[in-house]
Amino acid sequence: MEIKADEITEILKRQLAGYEKSIDVAEVGTVLSVGDGIARVYGLDKAMAGELLDFGHDLFGLALNLEEDNVGVVLMGETREVKEGQEVRRTGRIIEVPVGPELVGRVVDALGRPIDGKGPIRTTENYPIERIAPGVIDRQPVREPVQTGLKAIDAMIPIGRGQRELVIGDRQTGKTAVALDTIINQKGKGLICIYVAIGQKKSTAAQVVKTLEEYGAMEHTIVVSATASDPAPMQFIAPYAGCAMGEYFLYNEKHALTIYDDLSKHAASYREI
């Protein structure tokens, strides 16, 4: 079959009409060295402190040390995937996590990525994990109670919405049980709960989720899990991520209860970093 010149011209015109020119502009650096969960990256002169850097393969790093000739980056994933000479891209985003009602009922990691196998979470907003807290004058007084559901505690220790409460005790004395009972007791009370599991075994975190599901408490709960097998940076930012998710409800005229279990593991991860 013979194709005429004018037909070829017409085909080319149609193809060129649908052509869209796109240019991908990104600041790219190179990994100089990697070890102990820390990567040294050269070539990212404009990187910001606390910025997320993309190492590819769904692996991100947090820029902490901005030195004269390189950037010190803590890796938030498996370090074996990072090699010398590998490309690293800036994201231009100070570390932030997705927030919103879409997270309620889900289990996420410290970056807000779902790990419960229930599909992606489609949120419309992100909050930075570090932000300036409202001043004392801007805050309302503590005037609404929070019941734990444990009569001994509720009778002796007044706990209010807006205050901090420290649960101290030896191992295996029921500290987590108190926290879970408190979450379960908030069913139908308009209080969103964020449970942050820091440095626990995966089996322990899974058991917590199972318990909450059995009592119907996941309907008003977000679980942020940074287990013992996760890198220290993930355990370090987990409490900040949980706090940011709770702040979304604060700034949208709702109530939130954030539970950190436990902060001693967070302190250990901070020292490791």
Side-chain angles (χ1 to χ4, degrees):
M1 182 179 177
E2 189 174 336
I3 301 176
K4 297 180 181 180
D6 56 345
E7 292 179 358
I8 296 175
T9 304
E10 187 64 29
I11 293 171
L12 290 174
K13 283 182 179 179
R14 285 201 301 268
Q15 290 180 342
L16 290 173
Y19 175 74
E20 293 184 1
K21 186 177 180 180
S22 61
I23 300 175
D24 181 18
V25 179
E27 188 173 346
V28 179
T30 306
V31 175
L32 292 175
S33 63
V34 59
D36 297 327
I38 305 293
R40 295 284 176 181
V41 180
Y42 172 78
L44 298 180
D45 298 334
K46 297 182 180 179
M48 301 176 285
E51 181 179 352
L52 277 177
L53 302 179
D54 187 359
F55 285 77
H57 310 292
D58 202 30
L59 174 64
F60 291 90
L62 180 63
L64 288 184
N65 285 22
L66 304 182
E67 300 181 11
E68 186 174 345
D69 56 348
N70 68 81
V71 177
V73 185
V74 291
L75 299 172
M76 297 184 176
E78 185 54 63
T79 59
R80 287 179 295 183
E81 296 183 4
V82 180
K83 308 293 183 184
E84 293 182 12
Q86 179 177 326
E87 284 190 353
V88 183
R89 290 172 175 258
R90 286 188 61 198
T91 64
R93 296 184 291 120
I94 298 298
I95 185 168
E96 57 187 11
V97 292
V99 297
E102 297 85 358
L103 288 163
V104 177
R106 301 298 301 271
V107 183
V108 299
D109 66 6
L111 291 175
R113 298 175 296 192
I115 56 175
D116 53 6
K118 296 180 180 179
I121 302 174
R122 307 192 184 282
T123 59
T124 57
E125 289 190 65
N126 291 281
Y127 275 18
I129 66 169
E130 291 190 26
R131 62 191 301 166
I132 299 175
V136 176
I137 303 301
D138 298 326
R139 303 185 189 190
Q140 292 183 351
V142 177
R143 60 189 183 189
E144 296 182 54
V146 173
Q147 282 87 18
T148 64
L150 301 168
K151 291 183 180 179
I153 294 177
D154 294 333
M156 293 187 295
I157 306 170
I159 302 175
R161 298 185 181 188
Q163 84 175 62
R164 301 168 185 168
E165 194 68 41
L166 183 61
V167 182
I168 303 177
D170 293 330
R171 291 172 53 85
Q172 303 297 321
T173 54
K175 300 187 295 297
T176 298
V178 171
L180 295 183
D181 284 344
T182 303
I183 293 175
I184 294 169
N185 194 52
Q186 306 314 313
K187 189 173 183 178
K189 297 182 180 179
L191 187 64
I192 302 297
C193 301
I194 299 97
Y195 179 83
V196 185
I198 311 164
Q200 298 180 8
K201 293 186 294 184
K202 285 186 177 180
S203 59
T204 304
Q207 185 61 44
V208 167
V209 175
K210 182 181 178 182
T211 301
L212 295 175
E213 287 177 342
E214 286 178 354
Y215 289 93
M218 282 301 291
E219 296 174 3
H220 61 269
T221 304
I222 303 169
V223 176
V224 181
S225 179
T227 60
S229 59
D230 289 328
M234 294 290 276
Q235 297 180 44
F236 172 68
I237 68 169
Y240 298 97
C243 186
M245 294 173 189
E247 283 179 342
Y248 169 85
F249 300 100
L250 161 69
Y251 292 119
N252 285 274
E253 300 182 353
K254 297 181 181 179
H255 298 276
L257 167 67
T258 307
I259 295 173
Y260 306 114
D261 188 11
D262 65 286
L263 288 179
S264 61
K265 303 283 179 58
H266 173 257
S269 66
Y270 173 74
R271 289 194 296 269
E272 186 175 340
I273 292 175

